[in-house]
Amino acid sequence: MRHHTGLFAVLICLAPLSYGQALGGIESVTLAVDLEREVDARACGVSVASIDAAMRIPISNTRLVVAKVGGAVLSAGVNVLQAPNGQCAAMIAVALSRPVSLESAINSPRVIGEVWGNRHVLIGFPQGFGKAVSDKVEDFTKQFLAAWLKDR
């Protein structure tokens, strides 16, 4: 019996999480980029600057302000792996976290909770892979902005 090895794609795309008016009242966000395995990321054409731009540019076309420090954080986490055959794989997660209250009382404790998020696995060869990752981060950012506009 012969076994073939290879890198198989499993595409995971979770529906955006939105909890009613969870995005209402947000006027500014802090951007955060977490790029795992930078050596593999660089070999696959993915950089912190390209991911940051993929979030920052769509936001610049709205009334949402990008702040250095704030209560709401829009984060992009990208974990890139390069296989021995040269293929690249990335787990992309874009999420908005903000202080939320656990109870309806005014003085109830607040915690930081994810109130919107979307994730995707992307697989391909290095040529054009960085652009594909940036495009997916930009797409998720636009989905977040659409949800934000709806909850305003």
Side-chain angles (χ1 to χ4, degrees), residues 7-13 34-37 40-41 44-47 51 77-83 87-93 119-125 129-134 136-137 140:
L7 186 58
F8 293 96
V10 177
L11 299 178
I12 302 171
C13 190
D34 182 20
L35 181 60
E36 298 287 328
R37 302 183 53 92
D40 285 355
C44 293
V46 180
S47 68
I51 296 167
V78 180
N79 189 350
V80 180
L81 297 170
Q82 187 174 34
Q87 282 188 305
C88 300
M91 173 60 193
I92 304 163
R119 288 148 182 76
H120 188 78
V121 173
L122 190 62
I123 296 175
F125 285 98
F129 192 77
K131 180 172 180 352
V133 169
S134 294
K136 184 51 72 174
V137 171
F140 285 163

mmCIF file of all heavy atoms in Angstrom, residues 7-13 34-37 40-41 44-47 51 77-83 87-93 119-125 129-134 136-137 140:
data_model
loop_
_atom_site.group_PDB
_atom_site.id
_atom_site.type_symbol
_atom_site.label_atom_id
_atom_site.label_comp_id
_atom_site.label_asym_id
_atom_site.label_seq_id
_atom_site.Cartn_x
_atom_site.Cartn_y
_atom_site.Cartn_z
ATOM 1 N N LEU A 7 0.542 18.615 1.771
ATOM 2 C CA LEU A 7 -0.103 19.603 2.622
ATOM 3 C C LEU A 7 -1.538 19.763 2.137
ATOM 4 O O LEU A 7 -1.789 20.160 1.011
ATOM 5 C CB LEU A 7 0.650 20.928 2.521
ATOM 6 C CG LEU A 7 0.224 22.054 3.420
ATOM 7 C CD1 LEU A 7 0.314 21.637 4.885
ATOM 8 C CD2 LEU A 7 1.117 23.250 3.180
ATOM 9 N N PHE A 8 -2.480 19.372 2.961
ATOM 10 C CA PHE A 8 -3.888 19.447 2.593
ATOM 11 C C PHE A 8 -4.505 20.677 3.231
ATOM 12 O O PHE A 8 -4.220 21.028 4.365
ATOM 13 C CB PHE A 8 -4.625 18.190 3.058
ATOM 14 C CG PHE A 8 -4.171 16.955 2.333
ATOM 15 C CD1 PHE A 8 -3.213 16.131 2.883
ATOM 16 C CD2 PHE A 8 -4.670 16.649 1.086
ATOM 17 C CE1 PHE A 8 -2.771 15.009 2.223
ATOM 18 C CE2 PHE A 8 -4.241 15.532 0.408
ATOM 19 C CZ PHE A 8 -3.290 14.706 0.975
ATOM 20 N N ALA A 9 -5.356 21.305 2.488
ATOM 21 C CA ALA A 9 -6.004 22.528 2.963
ATOM 22 C C ALA A 9 -7.292 22.206 3.691
ATOM 23 O O ALA A 9 -8.111 21.447 3.207
ATOM 24 C CB ALA A 9 -6.303 23.441 1.780
ATOM 25 N N VAL A 10 -7.392 22.752 4.836
ATOM 26 C CA VAL A 10 -8.646 22.707 5.573
ATOM 27 C C VAL A 10 -9.043 24.158 5.767
ATOM 28 O O VAL A 10 -8.361 24.909 6.442
ATOM 29 C CB VAL A 10 -8.476 22.018 6.944
ATOM 30 C CG1 VAL A 10 -9.778 22.060 7.710
ATOM 31 C CG2 VAL A 10 -7.989 20.601 6.772
ATOM 32 N N LEU A 11 -10.105 24.535 5.131
ATOM 33 C CA LEU A 11 -10.531 25.916 5.218
ATOM 34 C C LEU A 11 -11.526 26.069 6.345
ATOM 35 O O LEU A 11 -12.542 25.390 6.391
ATOM 36 C CB LEU A 11 -11.153 26.367 3.895
ATOM 37 C CG LEU A 11 -10.212 26.308 2.698
ATOM 38 C CD1 LEU A 11 -10.951 26.742 1.443
ATOM 39 C CD2 LEU A 11 -9.007 27.173 2.938
ATOM 40 N N ILE A 12 -11.184 26.951 7.226
ATOM 41 C CA ILE A 12 -12.049 27.218 8.363
ATOM 42 C C ILE A 12 -12.422 28.685 8.293
ATOM 43 O O ILE A 12 -11.571 29.551 8.275
ATOM 44 C CB ILE A 12 -11.322 26.937 9.695
ATOM 45 C CG1 ILE A 12 -10.852 25.499 9.732
ATOM 46 C CG2 ILE A 12 -12.205 27.282 10.867
ATOM 47 C CD1 ILE A 12 -9.947 25.190 10.895
ATOM 48 N N CYS A 13 -13.674 28.946 8.238
ATOM 49 C CA CYS A 13 -14.129 30.325 8.218
ATOM 50 C C CYS A 13 -15.322 30.415 9.151
ATOM 51 O O CYS A 13 -16.404 29.954 8.815
ATOM 52 C CB CYS A 13 -14.489 30.757 6.808
ATOM 53 S SG CYS A 13 -14.786 32.525 6.705
ATOM 54 N N ASP A 34 -0.356 40.927 15.785
ATOM 55 C CA ASP A 34 0.446 39.865 16.367
ATOM 56 C C ASP A 34 0.837 38.920 15.235
ATOM 57 O O ASP A 34 -0.010 38.196 14.720
ATOM 58 C CB ASP A 34 -0.346 39.121 17.444
ATOM 59 C CG ASP A 34 0.454 38.023 18.114
ATOM 60 O OD1 ASP A 34 1.694 38.062 18.045
ATOM 61 O OD2 ASP A 34 -0.163 37.114 18.697
ATOM 62 N N LEU A 35 2.112 38.965 14.836
ATOM 63 C CA LEU A 35 2.607 38.128 13.752
ATOM 64 C C LEU A 35 3.510 37.057 14.346
ATOM 65 O O LEU A 35 4.587 37.352 14.847
ATOM 66 C CB LEU A 35 3.365 38.963 12.720
ATOM 67 C CG LEU A 35 3.929 38.227 11.518
ATOM 68 C CD1 LEU A 35 2.816 37.552 10.719
ATOM 69 C CD2 LEU A 35 4.702 39.185 10.626
ATOM 70 N N GLU A 36 3.046 35.820 14.313
ATOM 71 C CA GLU A 36 3.804 34.697 14.851
ATOM 72 C C GLU A 36 4.763 34.157 13.800
ATOM 73 O O GLU A 36 4.485 34.221 12.611
ATOM 74 C CB GLU A 36 2.850 33.580 15.288
ATOM 75 C CG GLU A 36 1.899 33.973 16.395
ATOM 76 C CD GLU A 36 2.571 34.108 17.735
ATOM 77 O OE1 GLU A 36 3.549 33.388 18.000
ATOM 78 O OE2 GLU A 36 2.114 34.956 18.529
ATOM 79 N N ARG A 37 5.870 33.597 14.249
ATOM 80 C CA ARG A 37 6.854 32.938 13.383
ATOM 81 C C ARG A 37 7.310 33.868 12.267
ATOM 82 O O ARG A 37 7.099 33.620 11.084
ATOM 83 C CB ARG A 37 6.298 31.633 12.840
ATOM 84 C CG ARG A 37 5.892 30.650 13.958
ATOM 85 C CD ARG A 37 5.408 29.347 13.428
ATOM 86 N NE ARG A 37 6.335 28.720 12.506
ATOM 87 C CZ ARG A 37 7.296 27.840 12.835
ATOM 88 N NH1 ARG A 37 7.439 27.492 14.077
ATOM 89 N NH2 ARG A 37 8.073 27.324 11.911
ATOM 90 N N ASP A 40 9.226 32.536 9.036
ATOM 91 C CA ASP A 40 8.334 31.932 8.053
ATOM 92 C C ASP A 40 7.468 33.003 7.385
ATOM 93 O O ASP A 40 7.240 32.964 6.170
ATOM 94 C CB ASP A 40 7.441 30.867 8.686
ATOM 95 C CG ASP A 40 8.170 29.570 8.982
ATOM 96 O OD1 ASP A 40 9.362 29.450 8.619
ATOM 97 O OD2 ASP A 40 7.547 28.672 9.562
ATOM 98 N N ALA A 41 6.991 33.954 8.171
ATOM 99 C CA ALA A 41 6.144 35.019 7.632
ATOM 100 C C ALA A 41 6.900 35.812 6.571
ATOM 101 O O ALA A 41 6.371 36.087 5.489
ATOM 102 C CB ALA A 41 5.669 35.934 8.748
ATOM 103 N N CYS A 44 7.236 34.030 3.376
ATOM 104 C CA CYS A 44 5.951 33.931 2.673
ATOM 105 C C CYS A 44 5.405 35.302 2.267
ATOM 106 O O CYS A 44 4.271 35.405 1.795
ATOM 107 C CB CYS A 44 4.941 33.189 3.555
ATOM 108 S SG CYS A 44 5.364 31.455 3.798
ATOM 109 N N GLY A 45 6.183 36.362 2.487
ATOM 110 C CA GLY A 45 5.783 37.699 2.056
ATOM 111 C C GLY A 45 4.819 38.415 2.970
ATOM 112 O O GLY A 45 4.143 39.353 2.545
ATOM 113 N N VAL A 46 4.747 38.006 4.235
ATOM 114 C CA VAL A 46 3.825 38.619 5.195
ATOM 115 C C VAL A 46 4.634 39.469 6.173
ATOM 116 O O VAL A 46 5.655 39.025 6.686
ATOM 117 C CB VAL A 46 3.031 37.538 5.965
ATOM 118 C CG1 VAL A 46 2.070 38.182 6.954
ATOM 119 C CG2 VAL A 46 2.281 36.632 4.993
ATOM 120 N N SER A 47 4.166 40.698 6.429
ATOM 121 C CA SER A 47 4.868 41.581 7.361
ATOM 122 C C SER A 47 3.874 42.278 8.288
ATOM 123 O O SER A 47 2.682 42.394 7.962
ATOM 124 C CB SER A 47 5.678 42.642 6.608
ATOM 125 O OG SER A 47 4.813 43.551 5.955
ATOM 126 N N ILE A 51 0.045 43.986 7.318
ATOM 127 C CA ILE A 51 -1.164 43.651 8.078
ATOM 128 C C ILE A 51 -1.755 44.914 8.707
ATOM 129 O O ILE A 51 -2.966 45.138 8.670
ATOM 130 C CB ILE A 51 -0.858 42.589 9.152
ATOM 131 C CG1 ILE A 51 -0.419 41.288 8.484
ATOM 132 C CG2 ILE A 51 -2.056 42.361 10.056
ATOM 133 C CD1 ILE A 51 0.190 40.287 9.441
ATOM 134 N N GLY A 77 -4.323 38.773 14.366
ATOM 135 C CA GLY A 77 -3.334 37.765 14.714
ATOM 136 C C GLY A 77 -3.105 36.878 13.506
ATOM 137 O O GLY A 77 -4.066 36.324 12.948
ATOM 138 N N VAL A 78 -1.857 36.777 13.065
ATOM 139 C CA VAL A 78 -1.532 35.970 11.895
ATOM 140 C C VAL A 78 -0.384 35.038 12.279
ATOM 141 O O VAL A 78 0.672 35.481 12.699
ATOM 142 C CB VAL A 78 -1.129 36.843 10.685
ATOM 143 C CG1 VAL A 78 -0.800 35.976 9.480
ATOM 144 C CG2 VAL A 78 -2.236 37.836 10.349
ATOM 145 N N ASN A 79 -0.638 33.753 12.135
ATOM 146 C CA ASN A 79 0.369 32.737 12.434
ATOM 147 C C ASN A 79 0.727 32.065 11.114
ATOM 148 O O ASN A 79 -0.116 31.413 10.502
ATOM 149 C CB ASN A 79 -0.192 31.726 13.440
ATOM 150 C CG ASN A 79 0.856 30.779 13.947
ATOM 151 O OD1 ASN A 79 1.974 30.726 13.445
ATOM 152 N ND2 ASN A 79 0.507 30.004 14.948
ATOM 153 N N VAL A 80 1.976 32.250 10.663
ATOM 154 C CA VAL A 80 2.400 31.753 9.355
ATOM 155 C C VAL A 80 3.394 30.604 9.534
ATOM 156 O O VAL A 80 4.314 30.688 10.333
ATOM 157 C CB VAL A 80 3.066 32.870 8.529
ATOM 158 C CG1 VAL A 80 3.511 32.355 7.166
ATOM 159 C CG2 VAL A 80 2.126 34.054 8.365
ATOM 160 N N LEU A 81 3.185 29.559 8.765
ATOM 161 C CA LEU A 81 4.106 28.423 8.717
ATOM 162 C C LEU A 81 4.499 28.179 7.269
ATOM 163 O O LEU A 81 3.657 28.269 6.379
ATOM 164 C CB LEU A 81 3.444 27.154 9.259
ATOM 165 C CG LEU A 81 3.013 27.165 10.708
ATOM 166 C CD1 LEU A 81 2.165 25.932 11.009
ATOM 167 C CD2 LEU A 81 4.219 27.195 11.609
ATOM 168 N N GLN A 82 5.773 27.851 7.046
ATOM 169 C CA GLN A 82 6.199 27.464 5.713
ATOM 170 C C GLN A 82 6.633 26.008 5.750
ATOM 171 O O GLN A 82 7.497 25.618 6.533
ATOM 172 C CB GLN A 82 7.327 28.343 5.187
ATOM 173 C CG GLN A 82 7.639 28.039 3.724
ATOM 174 C CD GLN A 82 8.644 28.984 3.120
ATOM 175 O OE1 GLN A 82 9.550 29.433 3.786
ATOM 176 N NE2 GLN A 82 8.473 29.282 1.835
ATOM 177 N N ALA A 83 6.022 25.189 4.901
ATOM 178 C CA ALA A 83 6.324 23.761 4.826
ATOM 179 C C ALA A 83 7.648 23.554 4.082
ATOM 180 O O ALA A 83 8.086 24.422 3.328
ATOM 181 C CB ALA A 83 5.191 23.035 4.111
ATOM 182 N N GLN A 87 5.336 25.566 0.454
ATOM 183 C CA GLN A 87 3.984 26.093 0.646
ATOM 184 C C GLN A 87 3.887 26.868 1.958
ATOM 185 O O GLN A 87 4.571 26.553 2.937
ATOM 186 C CB GLN A 87 2.959 24.971 0.650
ATOM 187 C CG GLN A 87 2.608 24.457 -0.722
ATOM 188 C CD GLN A 87 1.457 23.478 -0.669
ATOM 189 O OE1 GLN A 87 1.517 22.500 0.059
ATOM 190 N NE2 GLN A 87 0.429 23.747 -1.446
ATOM 191 N N CYS A 88 3.013 27.835 1.953
ATOM 192 C CA CYS A 88 2.779 28.668 3.132
ATOM 193 C C CYS A 88 1.358 28.441 3.639
ATOM 194 O O CYS A 88 0.437 28.229 2.852
ATOM 195 C CB CYS A 88 2.955 30.139 2.780
ATOM 196 S SG CYS A 88 4.604 30.566 2.175
ATOM 197 N N ALA A 89 1.199 28.490 4.936
ATOM 198 C CA ALA A 89 -0.123 28.402 5.563
ATOM 199 C C ALA A 89 -0.217 29.508 6.600
ATOM 200 O O ALA A 89 0.760 29.803 7.300
ATOM 201 C CB ALA A 89 -0.326 27.038 6.210
ATOM 202 N N ALA A 90 -1.382 30.128 6.697
ATOM 203 C CA ALA A 90 -1.589 31.191 7.679
ATOM 204 C C ALA A 90 -2.943 31.030 8.337
ATOM 205 O O ALA A 90 -3.946 30.795 7.663
ATOM 206 C CB ALA A 90 -1.497 32.562 7.024
ATOM 207 N N MET A 91 -2.953 31.137 9.647
ATOM 208 C CA MET A 91 -4.198 31.247 10.408
ATOM 209 C C MET A 91 -4.375 32.727 10.683
ATOM 210 O O MET A 91 -3.503 33.366 11.281
ATOM 211 C CB MET A 91 -4.105 30.458 11.715
ATOM 212 C CG MET A 91 -5.279 30.654 12.646
ATOM 213 S SD MET A 91 -6.827 30.146 11.891
ATOM 214 C CE MET A 91 -7.989 30.836 13.030
ATOM 215 N N ILE A 92 -5.470 33.281 10.183
ATOM 216 C CA ILE A 92 -5.727 34.714 10.283
ATOM 217 C C ILE A 92 -6.925 34.929 11.199
ATOM 218 O O ILE A 92 -7.977 34.331 10.984
ATOM 219 C CB ILE A 92 -6.019 35.313 8.892
ATOM 220 C CG1 ILE A 92 -4.864 35.014 7.932
ATOM 221 C CG2 ILE A 92 -6.307 36.805 8.986
ATOM 222 C CD1 ILE A 92 -5.227 35.189 6.467
ATOM 223 N N ALA A 93 -6.762 35.773 12.201
ATOM 224 C CA ALA A 93 -7.864 36.103 13.113
ATOM 225 C C ALA A 93 -7.913 37.615 13.293
ATOM 226 O O ALA A 93 -6.909 38.232 13.648
ATOM 227 C CB ALA A 93 -7.669 35.417 14.461
ATOM 228 N N ARG A 119 -12.273 34.456 11.539
ATOM 229 C CA ARG A 119 -11.036 33.682 11.388
ATOM 230 C C ARG A 119 -11.047 32.938 10.060
ATOM 231 O O ARG A 119 -12.100 32.578 9.545
ATOM 232 C CB ARG A 119 -10.910 32.672 12.525
ATOM 233 C CG ARG A 119 -10.593 33.337 13.846
ATOM 234 C CD ARG A 119 -11.212 32.579 15.020
ATOM 235 N NE ARG A 119 -10.954 33.221 16.286
ATOM 236 C CZ ARG A 119 -11.579 34.305 16.723
ATOM 237 N NH1 ARG A 119 -12.497 34.881 16.003
ATOM 238 N NH2 ARG A 119 -11.281 34.818 17.903
ATOM 239 N N HIS A 120 -9.824 32.664 9.561
ATOM 240 C CA HIS A 120 -9.700 31.970 8.285
ATOM 241 C C HIS A 120 -8.328 31.317 8.188
ATOM 242 O O HIS A 120 -7.345 31.865 8.680
ATOM 243 C CB HIS A 120 -9.866 32.977 7.146
ATOM 244 C CG HIS A 120 -9.958 32.377 5.790
ATOM 245 N ND1 HIS A 120 -11.100 31.793 5.300
ATOM 246 C CD2 HIS A 120 -9.038 32.267 4.805
ATOM 247 C CE1 HIS A 120 -10.879 31.362 4.075
ATOM 248 N NE2 HIS A 120 -9.627 31.635 3.748
ATOM 249 N N VAL A 121 -8.271 30.162 7.542
ATOM 250 C CA VAL A 121 -6.997 29.507 7.238
ATOM 251 C C VAL A 121 -6.753 29.673 5.745
ATOM 252 O O VAL A 121 -7.651 29.433 4.936
ATOM 253 C CB VAL A 121 -7.019 28.009 7.614
ATOM 254 C CG1 VAL A 121 -5.760 27.305 7.139
ATOM 255 C CG2 VAL A 121 -7.177 27.848 9.121
ATOM 256 N N LEU A 122 -5.545 30.091 5.405
ATOM 257 C CA LEU A 122 -5.180 30.334 4.015
ATOM 258 C C LEU A 122 -3.925 29.526 3.697
ATOM 259 O O LEU A 122 -2.983 29.513 4.493
ATOM 260 C CB LEU A 122 -4.918 31.826 3.838
ATOM 261 C CG LEU A 122 -4.735 32.392 2.448
ATOM 262 C CD1 LEU A 122 -6.000 32.194 1.620
ATOM 263 C CD2 LEU A 122 -4.407 33.868 2.537
ATOM 264 N N ILE A 123 -3.898 28.851 2.548
ATOM 265 C CA ILE A 123 -2.747 28.037 2.144
ATOM 266 C C ILE A 123 -2.400 28.358 0.699
ATOM 267 O O ILE A 123 -3.290 28.485 -0.141
ATOM 268 C CB ILE A 123 -3.051 26.530 2.304
ATOM 269 C CG1 ILE A 123 -3.287 26.217 3.777
ATOM 270 C CG2 ILE A 123 -1.925 25.671 1.743
ATOM 271 C CD1 ILE A 123 -3.711 24.806 4.061
ATOM 272 N N GLY A 124 -1.095 28.488 0.413
ATOM 273 C CA GLY A 124 -0.663 28.750 -0.952
ATOM 274 C C GLY A 124 0.849 28.793 -1.046
ATOM 275 O O GLY A 124 1.556 28.558 -0.067
ATOM 276 N N PHE A 125 1.344 29.099 -2.213
ATOM 277 C CA PHE A 125 2.787 29.231 -2.411
ATOM 278 C C PHE A 125 3.209 30.664 -2.152
ATOM 279 O O PHE A 125 2.388 31.584 -2.197
ATOM 280 C CB PHE A 125 3.165 28.748 -3.812
ATOM 281 C CG PHE A 125 3.150 27.250 -3.920
ATOM 282 C CD1 PHE A 125 2.054 26.587 -4.440
ATOM 283 C CD2 PHE A 125 4.224 26.501 -3.457
ATOM 284 C CE1 PHE A 125 2.026 25.204 -4.522
ATOM 285 C CE2 PHE A 125 4.205 25.115 -3.520
ATOM 286 C CZ PHE A 125 3.114 24.463 -4.050
ATOM 287 N N PHE A 129 1.420 35.269 -1.733
ATOM 288 C CA PHE A 129 0.811 34.852 -0.469
ATOM 289 C C PHE A 129 0.629 36.036 0.485
ATOM 290 O O PHE A 129 -0.413 36.164 1.134
ATOM 291 C CB PHE A 129 1.642 33.757 0.204
ATOM 292 C CG PHE A 129 0.935 33.097 1.355
ATOM 293 C CD1 PHE A 129 -0.055 32.157 1.120
ATOM 294 C CD2 PHE A 129 1.257 33.418 2.664
ATOM 295 C CE1 PHE A 129 -0.722 31.549 2.175
ATOM 296 C CE2 PHE A 129 0.598 32.818 3.727
ATOM 297 C CZ PHE A 129 -0.393 31.879 3.479
ATOM 298 N N GLY A 130 1.637 36.911 0.549
ATOM 299 C CA GLY A 130 1.535 38.079 1.425
ATOM 300 C C GLY A 130 0.346 38.954 1.063
ATOM 301 O O GLY A 130 -0.375 39.434 1.938
ATOM 302 N N LYS A 131 0.118 39.145 -0.234
ATOM 303 C CA LYS A 131 -1.032 39.938 -0.680
ATOM 304 C C LYS A 131 -2.336 39.245 -0.323
ATOM 305 O O LYS A 131 -3.292 39.894 0.116
ATOM 306 C CB LYS A 131 -0.965 40.193 -2.177
ATOM 307 C CG LYS A 131 -2.150 41.027 -2.670
ATOM 308 C CD LYS A 131 -2.008 41.453 -4.091
ATOM 309 C CE LYS A 131 -3.148 42.272 -4.636
ATOM 310 N NZ LYS A 131 -4.337 42.445 -3.887
ATOM 311 N N ALA A 132 -2.384 37.925 -0.470
ATOM 312 C CA ALA A 132 -3.609 37.183 -0.125
ATOM 313 C C ALA A 132 -3.926 37.330 1.360
ATOM 314 O O ALA A 132 -5.087 37.491 1.742
ATOM 315 C CB ALA A 132 -3.466 35.712 -0.508
ATOM 316 N N VAL A 133 -2.899 37.288 2.206
ATOM 317 C CA VAL A 133 -3.104 37.460 3.651
ATOM 318 C C VAL A 133 -3.600 38.874 3.933
ATOM 319 O O VAL A 133 -4.576 39.075 4.668
ATOM 320 C CB VAL A 133 -1.812 37.146 4.438
ATOM 321 C CG1 VAL A 133 -1.939 37.581 5.896
ATOM 322 C CG2 VAL A 133 -1.482 35.656 4.354
ATOM 323 N N SER A 134 -2.936 39.874 3.347
ATOM 324 C CA SER A 134 -3.363 41.270 3.546
ATOM 325 C C SER A 134 -4.787 41.492 3.057
ATOM 326 O O SER A 134 -5.575 42.187 3.711
ATOM 327 C CB SER A 134 -2.414 42.227 2.816
ATOM 328 O OG SER A 134 -1.135 42.181 3.389
ATOM 329 N N LYS A 136 -7.198 39.314 2.972
ATOM 330 C CA LYS A 136 -8.143 38.691 3.912
ATOM 331 C C LYS A 136 -8.290 39.555 5.164
ATOM 332 O O LYS A 136 -9.401 39.756 5.668
ATOM 333 C CB LYS A 136 -7.680 37.277 4.270
ATOM 334 C CG LYS A 136 -8.644 36.510 5.158
ATOM 335 C CD LYS A 136 -10.080 36.480 4.664
ATOM 336 C CE LYS A 136 -10.285 35.623 3.466
ATOM 337 N NZ LYS A 136 -11.731 35.516 3.107
ATOM 338 N N VAL A 137 -7.189 40.118 5.668
ATOM 339 C CA VAL A 137 -7.262 41.008 6.832
ATOM 340 C C VAL A 137 -8.088 42.246 6.479
ATOM 341 O O VAL A 137 -8.935 42.681 7.269
ATOM 342 C CB VAL A 137 -5.853 41.399 7.326
ATOM 343 C CG1 VAL A 137 -5.922 42.496 8.384
ATOM 344 C CG2 VAL A 137 -5.118 40.176 7.872
ATOM 345 N N PHE A 140 -11.784 41.248 6.379
ATOM 346 C CA PHE A 140 -12.331 41.123 7.736
ATOM 347 C C PHE A 140 -12.516 42.497 8.378
ATOM 348 O O PHE A 140 -13.487 42.721 9.096
ATOM 349 C CB PHE A 140 -11.434 40.255 8.611
ATOM 350 C CG PHE A 140 -11.516 38.775 8.313
ATOM 351 C CD1 PHE A 140 -10.532 37.919 8.772
ATOM 352 C CD2 PHE A 140 -12.556 38.233 7.580
ATOM 353 C CE1 PHE A 140 -10.595 36.560 8.523
ATOM 354 C CE2 PHE A 140 -12.626 36.869 7.315
ATOM 355 C CZ PHE A 140 -11.645 36.035 7.796
#
